[in-house]
Amino acid sequence: MLSPAQRQRWHDEGCLVLPGFKPEAELAALRRRSLAIVEASEPAAVFSTVERSRLADAALLASATAVHCFFEEEAVDAQGHLTVPKARAVNKIGHALHDRDPVFDRFSRDPRLAGLVHELGVAEPRLWQSMLIFKQPRIGGEVTWHQDASFLATEPDDSVVGLWFALEEATLDNGCLWIEPGGHRGPLRERYVNDGGTLRMLPLDTTPWPEAERTRALPVPAGTLVVLHGRLPHASAPNRSGVSRMAYTLHVTDGRMRYAPNNWLQRGADFPVRGF
Ligand code: FE2
């Protein structure tokens, strides 16, 4: 499926951009289903990548095996009430959409994705995590520089691959992805671990996040699949535009590697991780 040039790019840059990977009908089905999930949910927890409280920890841990809606900090007042309609207040849904929801299951278990990650070296795919990221107009929050392997570490090698689907056009104005091309060859800076029930970021390496001149924006049309190496530094800016930037992400590790037992996201024997 991948051309020699695409394989070279994956090797050199740790990122692949595949426009037109998903047809509009599938994107629309996912957008519709996402809004239905939000409408049926009860706002309960606030998600912020800047500050993670103990309350948010409990909601995050529970979401590992569930379909949970996280709401924007700026959309909830001091009493915990939403200040904008629910559909405009949600930050994301996570983290077991692909196993708990039939629409997301179908979208995620696409044989072409199985073929793609196999070509990238993932011999025994394990679908640990899915997220629907809304990036709302005006209030869609920043996602600071990070590496996905910080959250889904495997040993002895990092094996996680991120599959990022643009459900709507992503632009410089509405908070498209930014990457550091080639940065996947650098070290893993930190790990987000469950330390006896407390979630915390563990520093590993002091290599700074990239200066602006080493980064590249990835504005892409709806339907594009962006594939991210687990150690590739990436980020996205806040959305200050008037349009949303919905994206769906799926994170896959290689079952030949040991999934770190202190990763924040775990599953019990009653709900084992599966492949495609
Ligand atoms: Fe990420």
Side-chain angles (χ1 to χ4, degrees):
M1 177 183 177
L2 294 176
S3 68
Q6 286 173 317
R7 287 169 180 278
Q8 191 63 44
R9 177 159 281 223
W10 175 254
H11 178 264
D12 292 344
E13 298 197 337
C15 180
L16 280 178
V17 178
L18 306 173
F21 190 89
K22 284 284 194 180
E24 174 54 31
E26 280 193 53
L27 308 180
L30 227 57
R31 293 195 302 261
R32 269 198 310 275
R33 183 66 193 134
S34 303
L35 292 173
I37 291 170
V38 172
E39 282 308 323
S41 75
E42 286 299 325
V46 174
F47 182 81
S48 158
T49 53
V50 178
E51 186 197 4
R52 289 185 175 89
S53 68
R54 223 164 227 295
L55 208 71
D57 277 9
L60 189 58
L61 286 169
S63 76
T65 56
V67 173
H68 185 88
C69 296
F70 298 86
F71 290 88
E72 291 282 357
E73 232 174 349
E74 294 177 34
V76 183
D77 67 18
Q79 285 73 45
H81 300 124
L82 291 178
T83 56
V84 294
K86 230 193 300 195
R88 283 295 177 209
V90 64
N91 172 291
K92 68 174 187 178
I93 312 174
H95 287 89
L97 282 159
H98 61 295
D99 279 333
R100 294 292 194 198
D101 186 275
V103 178
F104 280 89
D105 182 15
R106 267 198 301 283
F107 188 99
S108 307
R109 291 194 163 84
D110 179 335
R112 297 177 307 150
L113 291 174
L116 175 66
V117 302
H118 192 265
E119 280 196 68
L120 299 179
V122 179
E124 296 175 18
R126 299 286 186 269
L127 278 57
W128 281 101
Q129 169 182 285
S130 47
M131 286 189 282
L132 195 293
I133 304 158
F134 287 84
K135 207 76 159 180
Q136 300 281 1
R138 315 286 178 208
I139 59 168
E142 172 187 18
V143 176
T144 55
W145 285 95
H146 68 279
Q147 297 158 296
D148 290 340
S150 294
F151 301 89
L152 299 158
T154 58
E155 301 152 344
D157 293 322
D158 290 315
S159 65
V160 64
V161 170
L163 303 169
W164 187 101
F165 302 89
L167 301 187
E168 297 177 309
E169 182 184 19
T171 67
L172 286 171
D173 291 334
N174 71 5
C176 69
L177 282 174
W178 287 76
I179 62 165
E180 180 198 7
H184 62 301
R185 287 192 293 269
L188 189 64
R189 269 73 161 188
E190 55 194 5
R191 279 198 54 214
Y192 191 59
V193 297
N194 187 336
D195 185 5
T198 302
L199 300 179
R200 66 185 187 97
M201 199 57 97
L202 192 68
L204 297 179
D205 188 287
T206 55
T207 302
W209 296 112
E211 300 290 334
E213 62 270 16
R214 288 172 54 208
T215 69
R216 184 197 298 160
L218 294 182
V220 294
T224 302
L225 167 58
V226 179
V227 189
L228 299 162
H229 187 286
R231 271 200 321 277
L232 186 77
H234 59 284
S236 67
N239 182 2
R240 298 301 180 204
S241 81
V243 294
S244 60
R245 191 233 64 186
M246 287 173 79
Y248 174 59
T249 67
L250 191 60
H251 287 93
V252 182
T253 66
D254 193 330
R256 295 176 303 173
M257 302 290 161
R258 179 171 180 256
Y259 185 77
N262 63 351
N263 281 335
W264 80 268
L265 191 157
Q266 298 291 334
R267 288 198 176 188
D270 56 334
F271 191 53
V273 67
R274 295 190 289 131
F276 283 100

